[in-house]
Amino acid sequence: MDYYQLFEQFTRALSVIEDIDTVQLSAAMKEICVYFRISKVTVLFYESVNHEKAGRGEEYVCFDRGRSGETLLSERIVNSIQAVVVCRMYLEEGAASWSQDETERIKLGQTVLLSFFNRCKMQDMVERLRYYDSDDYPNLRYFMRELDRLKGEGSLGGKVAVHFNLRHFTLVNQQVGRIAGNVVMSRYIAGIAELLGDRGVVCRIGGDNFCLICEQDMLEPVLKHLLGTPVVYNAVSNEKIMVSATAGVFQIPQDFVYENFSDIMDKIISASQQARTGGGDFVVFYDHDLIMNREKMVKVQGMFGEALEKEEFKVFYQPKVSVYTGELLGAEALCRWFHDGKIVPPMEFIPILEQNLDICRLDFYMLDHVCRDVRQWLDEGKEVVRVSVNLSRKHMMDFELKEHILEIIDRNNVPHEYIEIELTETTTDVEFVDLKRVVHGLQEAGLSISIDDFGMGYSSLNLLKEVPWNVLKVDKSFLPVAEDDEKSSRSIMFRYVVAMAKELGLECIAEGVETRQQVDILRENRCDLAQGYYFDKPLPKQDYENRMEAHRYQINE
Ligand code: C2E
Ligand code: CA
Ligand code: CA
């Protein structure tokens, strides 16, 4: 075979990238190398010129007769994305050197090989860009491709699809810093990928939203990981942070008809949305219940306007008591819905109202009714104590929140020191900024502001430092219970939280105090105030008025 035939064979083998005939290719390569007395051919690939300088590349050996050569023919190209491909060829030891003419032809062959590698590598990169995001997570397109692949295989039925959102991740970033935050996220996700192995894939669809598809029996370990996994973010000091997610799960039935991507995506996203905003379970399964919940939601939203007009919502007051003297020092206003002769508890409607801005109307209504009561008690000469009102974080979007609140209080002619506003932690940067502004503004007007449910999120420490609160309400979950001794993590946390609050000059109150023993724990830790069933449940107005009259609780010694 002469050179031209060889060359044609070689280029033909390289002309199709997708479906290279590797056998044909290496056979052609071998013949050419033997013909030209070449002992070795290598191709080097560097992702960038900088990588080349640093000697960080991948090397491919295309041909090697095992005899090292001397003369080296090196060709180098830098492609349009600044990646570098270098092809090197060696002349066999002791063989006659290449003639001028041969060198030209070898160079031609080299160029073909170079451009082949270049194309392959470019394709790899395009593939990466297409199916991976800039942080190297498989992306939404990857997920879609995987669903298509499973469908093609006929094995989509029986799998589980999950959409999940990391909880409070912006605040994790704030706490450990962006860079460590990225490490935390990638380790948390790598943990899932590791669990899944080749039995599922996990992809990022943007920000802190991910989805995964896996085999049914992987669901349990995956959910366990999702619901809370400590992640090391500082390898030197071994510092860890707890990462968790809310998730929507769809167990794909065997007979499921999958036509397009949204058939699955819509389901896991809506379940996930529910988990995220529902205020209840952190995992929601897409199923009949969810549809039922939807119906319930639509029903509640539909009834809300009329219920508000008919004043079906009533204020209940739960006393706040000094743990030292038993004195009544304040109360929290909690909402109860009297509907169809039943009392609907807040957990059944507040999360629903929080799905849109209805909650804001309810909160203003509550504030208004509290102010009316306070005004009435003042006029009756009662010994009135401060009342706190819950404000949903949905209000943070309201640029005139301060004005709205003050308008209600002033319209009722209530001195500002009688009103306290309870706010819970927030989830995004923007809200954090808004929160600072709101807290500041309201304080200027003489209202007390408390941080509610403190300890529920990771944000807490940062939130505490950055925003000038008056009161810290320690969440129930931090309060030691009967089986905790003083070395239990709950006891230690509680001690630290109270000490920190005091150091920052904040008033500190524990919620959910149910036993005498807990009152003692509060005393020992100098947490001055308690709210909970040990003293009273949230009370209707009349009962609360009686408590105000009595003014003091008996704490049995
Ligand atoms: P929250 O603000 O953390 O209110 C404290 C909840 O703990 C109340 O539940 C209260 O009844 C309950 N609680 C008090 N003492 C104890 C105790 O000793 N043990 C136990 N296990 N629980 C105790 P409630 O009244 O069902 O309210 C639930 C949540 O609904 C509130 O949590 C608050 O987030 C929301 N909520 C209630 N009323 C309003 C409102 O007017 N506006 C807004 N935005 N949210 C409200
Ligand atoms: Ca509260
Ligand atoms: Ca609370």
Side-chain angles (χ1 to χ4, degrees), residues 133-357:
D133 67 15
S134 52
D135 293 322
D136 254 4
Y137 294 100
N139 63 14
L140 184 63
R141 246 185 248 113
Y142 189 106
F143 193 65
M144 292 161 80
R145 185 177 63 173
E146 181 64 11
L147 293 181
D148 283 339
R149 190 184 70 77
L150 293 171
K151 183 195 175 184
E153 240 179 31
S155 65
L156 203 50
K159 295 269 189 313
V160 192
V162 181
H163 176 276
F164 61 96
N165 175 265
L166 305 191
R167 299 185 62 228
H168 305 297
F169 208 76
T170 315
L171 297 158
V172 172
N173 278 332
Q174 282 169 7
Q175 197 173 323
V176 304
R178 285 253 165 227
I179 295 170
N182 289 342
V183 173
V184 169
M185 186 186 285
S186 92
R187 292 206 174 136
Y188 179 71
I189 299 301
I192 297 170
E194 208 169 287
L195 268 178
L196 294 176
D198 57 3
R199 306 180 58 201
V201 297
V202 54
C203 305
R204 177 158 83 166
I205 61 176
D208 57 357
N209 289 298
F210 293 81
C211 40
L212 67 82
I213 182 150
C214 64
E215 289 171 21
Q216 179 71 40
D217 56 353
M218 297 305 298
L219 183 61
E220 202 187 307
V222 164
L223 287 183
K224 192 160 166 273
H225 184 99
L226 284 180
L227 287 177
T229 298
V231 179
V232 176
Y233 66 94
N234 184 334
V236 181
S237 59
N238 202 32
E239 279 169 283
K240 291 188 186 127
I241 191 163
M242 205 55 181
V243 184
S244 63
T246 50
V249 180
F250 176 49
Q251 292 170 296
I252 304 170
Q254 287 299 348
D255 56 357
F256 185 66
V257 183
Y258 175 81
E259 266 161 13
N260 61 60
F261 181 59
S262 65
D263 294 339
I264 285 177
M265 220 51 201
D266 288 354
K267 292 185 176 60
I268 55 178
I269 287 179
S270 82
S272 175
Q273 202 79 15
Q274 176 99 356
R276 192 177 170 184
T277 56
D281 297 333
F282 290 155
V283 178
V284 170
F285 284 79
Y286 179 91
D287 61 9
H288 192 61
D289 285 356
L290 191 69
I291 299 163
M292 290 295 285
N293 282 343
R294 269 265 172 83
E295 280 169 10
K296 205 162 97 190
M297 193 171 102
V298 170
K299 214 169 122 199
V300 168
Q301 284 172 347
M303 287 189 298
F304 176 71
E306 201 186 325
L308 198 66
E309 226 157 80
K310 292 209 263 175
E311 307 217 334
E312 288 180 0
F313 298 97
K314 302 286 178 213
V315 184
F316 272 45
Y317 293 91
Q318 187 174 34
K320 298 178 183 174
V321 180
S322 159
V323 291
Y324 308 114
T325 63
E327 209 181 340
L328 175 80
L329 293 179
E332 174 175 6
L334 292 156
C335 187
R336 297 291 179 269
W337 183 6
F338 286 74
H339 186 70
D340 272 351
K342 283 188 298 251
I343 301 183
V344 187
M347 285 334 275
E348 303 223 341
F349 61 89
I350 300 249
I352 296 176
L353 300 179
E354 271 180 333
Q355 307 257 327
N356 54 36
L357 294 178

Side-chain angles (χ1 to χ4, degrees), residues 492-510:
I492 295 168
M493 291 287 252
F494 184 73
R495 200 173 318 142
Y496 275 100
V497 167
V498 175
M500 197 170 51
K502 296 239 123 174
E503 208 149 285
L504 292 168
L506 304 184
E507 201 178 286
C508 194
I509 175 166

Side-chain angles (χ1 to χ4, degrees), residues 332 390 422 424 452-454 473-476 511 531:
E332 174 175 6
N390 290 285
E422 296 195 7
T424 45
D452 197 2
D453 302 339
F454 181 83
K473 296 193 82 177
V474 187
D475 189 68
K476 287 195 266 300
E511 300 186 274
Q531 175 184 345

